[in-house]
């Protein structure tokens, strides 16, 4: 079968096969998908289709087998989902984290970025400078000012914010 003959065959057979597979699957989108997949597989065999007496029957058989395979996979997936309990929901952020984020939002962007990169992402001052494109001294100043401002804003929640004694980094 030439490319042109295959194109004509596709144009004539696709709607008919889709209707037949729709009756089989009960889902028009699924029917279109499996018929399309069967035609893709037939495309690789289009040279031998002339020798076959019923290319439409071959495509219908392939499409029906694909539909059954998809149905079996979906059934197995559903059975596995039923046997596996859903994961426990992840706990939300604690009040200390929420207070920290709220206080960080009130800082100027440059200070906030320096503090987040240094204290929360564990980057060194030099790495923060490299990532932000600011000199090391500027990063140190932003960290100092930002920590001072955070201390003021979190003064009431001081006991809630964990601080490592040896480095003074907020965790």
């Amino acid at each position: 079968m030439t490319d042109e003959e295959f194109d004509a065959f596709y144009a004539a057979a696709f709607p008919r096969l889709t209707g037949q597979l729709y009756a089989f699957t009960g889902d028009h989108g699924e029917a279109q998908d499996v018929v399309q997949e069967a035609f893709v597989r037939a495309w690789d065999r289009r040279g031998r289709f002339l020798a076959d007496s019923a290319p439409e029957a071959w495509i219908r058989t392939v499409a029906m087998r694909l539909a059954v395979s998809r149905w079996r996979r979906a059934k197995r997936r559903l059975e596995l989902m039923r046997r596996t309990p859903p994961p426990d929901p992840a706990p939300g952020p604690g009040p200390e984290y929420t207070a920290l984020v709220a206080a960080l939002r009130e800082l100027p962007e440059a200070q906030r970025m320096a503090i987040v990169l240094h204290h929360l992402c564990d980057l060194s001052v030099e790495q923060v400078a490299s990532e932000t494109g600011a000199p090391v001294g500027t990063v140190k100043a932003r960290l100092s000012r930002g920590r001072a401002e955070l201390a003021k804003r979190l003064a009431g929640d001081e006991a809630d914010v964990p601080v490592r004694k040896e480095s003074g980094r907020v965790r």
Side-chain angles (χ1 to χ4, degrees):
M1 187 178 285
T2 66
D3 293 355
E4 293 79 21
E5 291 172 331
F6 189 88
D7 289 344
F9 169 62
Y10 174 84
F14 184 81
R16 184 172 43 253
L17 288 167
T18 300
Q20 293 166 1
L21 268 289
Y22 172 60
F24 180 69
T25 63
D27 182 338
H28 193 261
E30 181 72 10
Q32 288 177 323
D33 287 349
V34 294
V35 170
Q36 186 66 38
E37 177 66 25
F39 269 105
V40 166
R41 292 181 183 191
W43 176 257
D44 294 333
R45 296 169 178 79
R46 66 188 178 282
R48 293 175 286 186
F49 260 29
L50 192 56
D52 290 342
S53 59
E56 190 169 327
W58 185 90
I59 290 177
R60 182 178 28 262
T61 301
V62 170
M64 291 181 105
R65 288 179 181 166
L66 286 167
V68 168
S69 292
R70 287 180 173 196
W71 179 81
R72 285 181 180 154
R73 275 194 304 270
K75 183 180 173 188
R76 270 185 260 144
R77 187 172 36 251
L78 183 61
E79 288 170 359
L80 284 172
M81 288 173 60
R82 285 183 179 157
R83 281 187 268 161
T84 306
D88 293 333
E96 64 279 347
Y97 185 78
T98 305
L100 176 62
V101 170
L104 281 168
R105 284 185 184 155
E106 296 175 11
L107 294 180
E109 182 182 344
Q111 290 176 9
R112 182 174 58 240
M113 184 176 292
I115 287 175
V116 168
L117 290 174
H118 184 65
H119 293 291
L120 300 178
C121 297
D122 286 328
L123 298 183
S124 68
V125 172
E126 291 77 17
Q127 289 171 319
V128 173
S130 173
E131 195 159 315
T132 60
V136 172
T138 303
V139 170
K140 288 179 179 179
R142 289 175 181 168
L143 286 170
S144 176
R145 290 183 188 121
R147 282 190 294 250
E149 190 61 34
L150 275 178
K152 282 187 226 172
R153 295 180 190 280
L154 296 172
D157 299 329
E158 216 171 67
D160 294 339
V161 180
V163 176
R164 281 187 23 199
K165 299 287 186 199
E166 65 275 7
S167 70
R169 288 187 178 192
V170 175
R171 292 284 176 199

